[in-house]
Amino acid sequence: MVKSFMSRMVAGNGLLYPILGFASCIAFIYLSFGDLWVNLNQETKLSFVERNGTQFFVDGRVFYINGWNSYWLMDHAAEDYKRPRVKAMLQVGAKMGFTVCRTWAFNDGDYNALQISPGRFDERVFRALDHVITEARRQGIRLILSLVNNLKAYGGKTQYVKWAWEEGVGLSSSNDSFFYDPSIRHYFKNYVKTVLTRKNTITGIEYRDDPTILAWELINEPRCMTDPSGDTLQDWIEEMSTYVKSIDRNHLITVGLEGFYGPKNPKRLTVNPEFWAADLGSDFIRNSKISTVDFASAHIYPDHWLHNQDFEEKLKFVAKWMLSHIEDGDKELKKPVVFTEFGLSDENKDFTPSQREKFMKLILDISYKSAKKTKAGAGSFVWQFFVGGMQKYYDDFAIVPWERPSTYQLFTGQSCKLARIQGVLPTQKEHLKDFCSQKQ
């Protein structure tokens, strides 16, 4: 049928190719720039997220987070052929009712490095970060931007130590010298200032003035095992959080902790997953109590942390872990607590997708109950989401949310339940009206 119609068009006037060529050109222009034209005229309005006690607020209304991690956004925005994945991921997040994405605002000395060497930046990659922030704003998604990695991936503290060592100014080759070496602290402060004062080449807004950014995360999963007392890491957090606040008074700050209790905290014996967790140089309470830290963060990885428990025992640990940290937020810290990463590995011997969904549902349910009771649990972020065709970038926690309808419904259901507590945000109205009309 289609072939016959096309043959008649060519035979009749020979204009098929010019017509298709023109139409394709128009389509390309629209797909490439149409959304930009629309959004420049109808820009998504966002306000800064603020904190009052144990709650987040936006425009005077309480704000609870259903969030996700996609660490890879800047890296993919730096390549023309990968860039469409950024918009696709943020669109999917918005359509599912998510409100915040956590992603990396660092890549130190690696492929597609933002910081090539101390104080030297790749403008192409900075423009990629500009794109991520701008696209998030268009989709009504806020961002938590992490500033450095404790791990080696994307450079991390290892790269900073290597730079200092190569320049002959490093005090030690230990990765933990990142936290105490004056030269490395200077490197990092320079990086922070450059990022916070960056003027977005698309919007013209400095990052520190952009409400698309919900918060700065100082470091992903900090550990300083050479000083299990925790003093070295504590000093670094105090100095760096104060420094960020001296440049940017608009945004919230979190540390990026895994949530372990330190050697002087009695909960190390009752809540930590195992004995080693108290000797990593961090302490959830002490690190989060600092006045320049606005909210506490914790991660949830029972299958990586516990080694002799079955799945049901790990679920019991998860519930105890979350409730303990929420209680800390209410009684000890007087600050919101956000579970900024949670995941279940598909490399476990007994892994099934339904098992992972049971694990995720427990976390989402505890987060919802905390919100319903106005407790300190302010939200959670699944680790981690991808779009289709990205298999080479998957880790053992990778999720393409629409590939499994029950997973998709689990997260949209959470969006609906939180919306019933806090009201539907203006950026959510278009997406929530359809799937929240049915009882979740």
Side-chain angles (χ1 to χ4, degrees), residues 235-248:
D235 288 346
W236 184 89
I237 295 169
E238 289 177 352
E239 181 175 344
M240 296 307 165
S241 60
T242 300
Y243 184 70
V244 171
K245 287 289 188 185
S246 74
I247 299 170
D248 179 0

Side-chain angles (χ1 to χ4, degrees), residues 81-366:
Y81 73 98
K82 295 178 183 176
R83 191 172 301 132
R85 292 170 179 165
V86 174
K87 180 177 180 178
M89 186 70 262
L90 292 167
Q91 279 185 327
V92 168
K95 288 177 180 177
M96 293 176 69
F98 285 99
T99 50
V100 187
C101 175
R102 177 173 171 264
T103 192
W104 295 168
F106 62 82
N107 189 346
D108 301 302
D110 209 333
Y111 177 72
N112 275 341
L114 175 57
Q115 186 173 208
I116 303 166
S117 61
R120 289 185 60 232
F121 296 83
D122 188 330
E123 177 62 19
R124 177 182 63 89
V125 182
F126 238 142
R127 286 173 182 260
L129 186 54
D130 293 346
H131 174 80
V132 170
I133 295 170
T134 304
E135 192 58 53
R137 185 185 185 96
R138 289 173 185 157
Q139 303 301 332
I141 297 293
R142 290 178 170 84
L143 300 170
I144 290 181
L145 295 179
S146 190
L147 294 169
V148 71
N149 206 353
N150 189 77
L151 309 172
K152 290 184 179 180
Y154 291 85
K157 67 181 186 183
T158 301
Q159 183 61 66
Y160 277 89
V161 173
K162 183 180 178 182
W163 282 332
W165 200 247
E166 289 172 347
E167 292 187 5
V169 296
L171 294 179
S172 168
S173 60
S174 166
N175 285 348
D176 285 348
S177 66
F178 172 84
F179 297 114
Y180 61 78
D181 188 314
S183 297
I184 297 174
R185 287 193 184 202
H186 175 73
Y187 291 164
F188 185 65
K189 282 184 175 180
N190 183 64
Y191 178 78
V192 167
K193 184 176 182 179
T194 302
V195 171
L196 269 58
T197 59
R198 164 76 175 183
K199 179 179 283 189
N200 191 311
T201 56
I202 303 170
T203 65
I205 303 171
E206 289 191 3
Y207 288 5
R208 61 181 170 181
D209 296 324
D210 194 335
T212 310
I213 300 166
L214 184 150
W216 301 109
E217 180 181 273
L218 296 179
I219 179 171
N220 175 54
E221 298 186 340
R223 296 182 178 186
C224 186
M225 297 173 67
T226 55
D227 182 8
S229 75
D231 292 344
T232 298
L233 181 59
Q234 183 76 358
D235 288 346
W236 184 89
I237 295 169
E238 289 177 352
E239 181 175 344
M240 296 307 165
S241 60
T242 300
Y243 184 70
V244 171
K245 287 289 188 185
S246 74
I247 299 170
D248 179 0
R249 303 297 297 184
N250 291 319
H251 290 105
L252 304 175
I253 294 176
T254 194
V255 178
L257 298 168
E258 294 165 278
F260 301 124
Y261 296 99
K264 295 180 181 179
N265 193 309
K267 283 191 174 183
R268 76 188 188 282
L269 301 174
T270 58
V271 183
N272 271 359
E274 291 177 349
F275 69 90
W276 50 263
D279 297 323
L280 302 177
S282 64
D283 180 82
F284 176 73
I285 299 294
R286 186 184 181 197
N287 300 154
S288 302
K289 258 189 173 180
I290 298 169
S291 62
T292 42
V293 172
D294 296 294
F295 66 94
S297 58
H299 294 178
I300 310 172
Y301 290 108
D303 49 353
H304 280 198
W305 296 346
L306 301 168
H307 299 96
N308 298 308
Q309 286 83 355
D310 62 25
F311 179 66
E312 292 302 323
E313 289 173 321
K314 289 175 181 176
L315 290 184
K316 290 178 182 177
F317 163 78
V318 168
K320 185 177 183 179
W321 177 259
M322 291 185 70
L323 293 173
S324 173
H325 287 76
I326 292 170
E327 178 185 60
D328 292 336
D330 282 314
K331 296 182 179 180
E332 189 89 15
L333 302 173
K334 311 297 184 184
K335 297 177 182 181
V337 176
V338 182
F339 299 95
T340 48
E341 289 187 24
F342 66 89
L344 191 74
S345 172
D346 63 12
E347 294 180 351
N348 297 326
K349 291 180 181 179
D350 59 346
F351 175 82
T352 63
S354 60
Q355 188 185 69
R356 177 184 273 170
E357 287 177 353
K358 187 175 181 180
F359 161 77
M360 295 190 298
K361 185 177 186 302
L362 173 64
I363 291 167
L364 296 178
D365 285 348
I366 292 174

